[in-house]
């Protein structure tokens, strides 16, 4: 469920925030949420492992960055997050992204690899491979936007739809994120030099099976594909299964301090 506006204001004004400090953490997991979501929407990530410290990405225009304009261009957004990772996140780290967040995480990972400071792993959810994404539709009318999001993603909770004030609060960042997603253009480049794990629901209309399998082509390391029962936001319905996969993929035998 989305976080209430007053709670969002208390989230860090920096591009990256630490959810709960973990002294001596062997790994940091940086999470990029889906379109319109609060930075802390991926709360399940806290249960990954006691020695993994979870961070959340805060896009401009929301939470503690509510006074900033929404991101409209990919290059400065990617640069900002790559700079923040290098400046604030010490030691080995992995990136996780849900839907739009997966594309942001992928591009940030590519930029950090170019800089010689790559993550140890990229985990994506509800996202086709970057060169296999379907066009994103962003209607100008708010009511049509709501219907489109419901049809393709089932992404606005009923409790938000039922409260006009909440809906009015969440529509601007949702629209901005969808427009950012629509503006994404994949540019070919070197493959990632670290593993990729990709999740998606088998009834997610935005991620056909072939487009999910396409992640294999974007890494020179190993890639695991996990097709789950459900739609675009089915990850939470399979929390234990997903966490077990992530724990294994980010296991201590793979990534030591």
């Amino acid at each position: 469920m989305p976080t209430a506006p007053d709670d969002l204001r208390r989230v860090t004004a920096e591009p990256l925030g630490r959810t709960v400090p973990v002294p001596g953490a062997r790994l940091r997991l940086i999470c990029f949420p889906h379109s319109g979501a609060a930075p802390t929407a991926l709360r399940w990530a806290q249960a990954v492992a006691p020695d993994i410290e979870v961070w959340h990405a805060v896009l401009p225009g929301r939470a503690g960055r509510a006074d900033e304009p929404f991101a409209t261009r990919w290059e400065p957004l990617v640069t900002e997050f790559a700079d923040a990772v290098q400046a604030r996140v010490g030691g080995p780290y992995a990136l996780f992204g849900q839907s739009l967040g997966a594309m942001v995480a992928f591009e940030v990972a590519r930029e950090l690899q170019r800089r010689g400071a790559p993550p140890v792993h990229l985990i994506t959810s509800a996202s086709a491979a970057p060169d296999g994404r379907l066009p994103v539709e962003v209607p100008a009318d708010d009511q049509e936007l709501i219907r489109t999001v419901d049809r393709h993603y089932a992404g606005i909770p009923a409790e938000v739809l039922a409260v006009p004030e909440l809906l009015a609060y969440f529509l601007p960042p949702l629209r901005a994120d969808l427009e950012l997603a629509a503006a994404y253009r994949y540019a070919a480049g070197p493959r990632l030099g670290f593993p990729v794990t990709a999740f998606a629901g088998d009834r997610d209309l935005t991620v056909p099976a072939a487009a999910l399998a396409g992640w294999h082509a974007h890494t020179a390391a190993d890639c695991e594909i996990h097709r789950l029962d459900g739609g675009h936001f089915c990850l939470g319905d399979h929390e234990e299964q997903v966490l077990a996969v992530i724990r294994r993929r980010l296991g201590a035998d793979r990534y030591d301090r």
Side-chain angles (χ1 to χ4, degrees), residues 15-16 32 65 73-87 104 107-112 114-115:
L16 296 177
F32 292 81
R65 306 182 68 188
R73 296 172 53 228
W74 278 84
E75 184 176 352
L77 182 69
V78 169
T79 298
E80 177 183 52
F81 279 121
D83 288 347
V85 171
Q86 287 192 290
V104 180
E107 290 296 342
V108 171
R110 290 215 292 180
E111 174 61 23
L112 287 162
R114 282 191 287 268
R115 299 182 185 190

Side-chain angles (χ1 to χ4, degrees), residues 5-63:
D6 288 344
D7 292 333
L8 290 177
R9 296 282 179 174
R10 292 196 286 271
V11 179
T12 178
E14 299 293 329
L16 296 177
R18 206 167 15 185
T19 306
V20 177
V22 179
R26 65 173 176 84
L27 190 71
R28 282 83 188 166
L29 178 64
I30 305 170
C31 298
F32 292 81
H34 57 272
S35 295
T40 54
L42 303 170
R43 297 182 187 278
W44 57 264
Q46 286 299 128
V48 170
D51 56 354
I52 293 179
E53 186 173 74
V54 177
W55 290 59
H56 54 260
V58 184
L59 271 70
R62 68 217 65 206

